Amino acid sequence: DSSGPSAMLGGVWEFTQDSFIPLGRYTGIDTLWHSDYSPIVIKGGSHLNDPSEITAATVAVLPREACSEMIGFRIAWID
């Protein structure tokens, strides 16, 4: 819709390949610090989240080894 990819919000939290770096968005050091042991950023919310509170900017952080039926990945393509 006009505010972004809303059809991808909810369902399951989406794993990303981004490491969580405290204040990385604001300091610009997000590309300089990476560890295979650092937590990972997830986004999008799950069906347990209130749909009125999920936006394209909804993110959270989990350990890389986390496993749950509320976490997954999404496949997207452009026609």
Side-chain angles (χ1 to χ4, degrees):
D1 62 17
S2 63
S3 63
S6 60
M8 295 178 65
L9 303 176
V12 297
W13 283 98
E14 176 186 347
F15 271 115
T16 70
Q17 64 181 5
D18 300 332
S19 295
F20 171 67
I21 300 160
L23 300 175
R25 291 181 177 179
Y26 305 105
T27 61
I29 63 169
D30 57 339
T31 58
L32 301 176
W33 178 36
H34 172 75
S35 167
D36 290 336
Y37 303 104
S38 61
I40 196 165
V41 175
I42 57 175
K43 63 182 182 177
S46 77
H47 65 273
L48 297 178
N49 295 93
D50 182 351
S52 66
E53 295 181 7
I54 298 174
T55 69
T58 302
V59 296
V61 178
L62 281 179
R64 289 180 183 265
E65 65 274 2
C67 182
S68 167
E69 59 273 352
M70 304 307 159
I71 309 166
F73 64 94
R74 294 185 174 95
I75 300 173
W77 66 89
I78 298 173
D79 285 334

